[in-house]
């Protein structure tokens, strides 16, 4: 359970899986879509998702080579929970930010 | 979005929130319930959840003092997605483990 959650309960994995909900994306497209992720972190995240059988990686022998990423059937079964988590985060962002400010202010020396 | 997911998209937060679904728990009960978490990591996780307004911390002036943790109303709204993610992880654990073995075997030198 813990090892599984290490991957799916990771902010980058959640954001990458969320971006792939509408279909195949290239590495560069994913990199632009997932704000704030470095190329290296995106590579590592995609490798983990591929290793877990959640994402496929397809290399097209063009010049330059094109690399496509897509959710597998297993990855798609995870989509509902991931999208729900993303919606929750968007809906409650302001509320959480307010809580954080209040918490930090109460503890300021 | 990213800052919010840093907290809720964290394996320990997910496990702690899941454990609090049935009501209040003491620190020691949570520590036993969340397998593999250290006392320090549990303390840090609970502090973050409290800061985000997802968990309340109640200190009872007994000897020794008793500290209770419970989900707030906001924390409860997160529960469905978190429980869904947990169920998914449990249901697909074997499948993912198989994928990992196959992936690693294919890349062994």
């Amino acid at each position: 359970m813990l090892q599984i959650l290490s991957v799916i309960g990771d902010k980058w994995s959640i954001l990458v899986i969320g971006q792939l909900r509408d279909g195949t994306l290239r590495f560069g497209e994913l990199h632009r879509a997932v704000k704030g992720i470095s190329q290296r972190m995106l590579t590592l995240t995609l490798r983990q998702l591929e290793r877990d059988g959640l994402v496929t990686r397809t290399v097209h022998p063009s010049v330059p080579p094109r690399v496509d990423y897509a959710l597998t059937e297993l990855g798609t079964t995870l989509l509902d929970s991931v999208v729900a988590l993303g919606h929750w985060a968007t809906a409650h962002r302001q509320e959480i930010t307010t809580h954080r400010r209040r918490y930090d202010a109460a503890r300021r020396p």
Side-chain angles (χ1 to χ4, degrees), chain A:
Chain A
M1 173 80 160
L2 201 60
Q3 282 187 314
I4 307 299
L5 280 178
S6 300
V7 175
I8 63 165
D10 166 82
K11 66 176 181 222
W12 296 123
S13 299
I14 289 173
L15 291 171
V16 167
I17 290 170
Q19 287 299 335
L20 289 172
R21 67 184 174 282
D22 295 326
T24 300
L25 287 178
R26 301 187 197 181
F27 185 89
E29 290 171 328
L30 268 172
H31 188 234
R32 278 187 296 278
V34 181
K35 305 282 178 227
I37 197 167
S38 66
Q39 290 217 4
R40 182 178 152 71
M41 185 51 75
L42 180 55
T43 302
L44 289 176
T45 301
L46 286 166
R47 201 177 293 162
Q48 278 229 305
L49 293 173
E50 193 192 347
R51 180 172 179 253
D52 286 349
L54 299 171
V55 158
T56 56
R57 177 177 185 273
T58 311
V59 183
H60 299 276
S62 53
V63 181
R66 208 183 83 209
V67 186
D68 281 344
Y69 294 90
L71 290 178
T72 61
E73 209 172 306
L74 180 62
T76 306
T77 65
L78 184 54
L79 207 53
D80 283 350
S81 315
V82 162
V83 168
L85 217 53
H87 283 168
W88 188 93
T90 305
H92 296 284
R93 180 169 39 184
Q94 193 50 55
E95 199 173 343
I96 289 181
T97 306
T98 306
H99 275 292
R100 287 183 184 176
R101 279 207 203 104
R102 210 178 294 157
Y103 183 95
D104 293 346
R107 274 145 196 86
R108 206 167 291 147

